Amino acid sequence: MYLVTVVFQVSAEHAASFQKRVQQQAADSLTEPGCRRFDVWCDPGDSARVFLFEIYDDRAAFDAHLASFHFIVFDAEVGPWVTAKQVDTAILSAG
């Protein structure tokens, strides 16, 4: 399994729009082959801080996600709203 976490900090004036848009992105992503989980959490103390937790079958499935039309559209749309973004990955092996 290939795990991905993303922490977004977005401009305060776009926080509500970003939260709505990232929820749609999560729903779209879950239709992809190889995407097992796509959770979105918002910081209760800071509505402009959003955390994603994603699980894919493998790195190839994540790469396919990054190349998907819906991801490319999402990234272009929300890019101007994002002030900081941290992406971390890990491989979870059985045993």
Side-chain angles (χ1 to χ4, degrees):
M1 301 300 258
Y2 193 76
L3 302 133
V4 180
T5 61
V6 185
V7 179
F8 288 99
Q9 189 68 43
V10 298
S11 56
E13 65 269 21
H14 294 293
S17 296
F18 182 86
Q19 288 178 15
K20 181 178 179 182
R21 187 60 181 88
V22 78
Q23 290 291 345
Q24 180 60 55
Q25 174 62 9
D28 291 343
S29 297
L30 285 168
T31 67
E32 298 171 14
C35 181
R36 301 296 170 201
R37 184 176 197 125
F38 198 116
D39 294 335
V40 178
W41 291 298
C42 300
D43 184 331
D46 180 0
S47 64
R49 187 169 183 263
V50 179
F51 178 81
L52 307 183
F53 178 74
E54 307 168 44
I55 300 176
Y56 297 87
D57 287 343
D58 51 28
R59 176 63 199 236
F62 179 63
D63 289 343
H65 164 71
L66 295 177
S68 70
F69 178 75
H70 69 88
F71 176 82
I72 293 167
V73 170
F74 166 78
D75 195 48
E77 183 179 342
V78 304
W81 306 343
V82 175
T83 60
K85 177 179 172 182
Q86 179 180 336
V87 179
D88 291 299
T89 61
I91 296 172
L92 178 64
S93 58

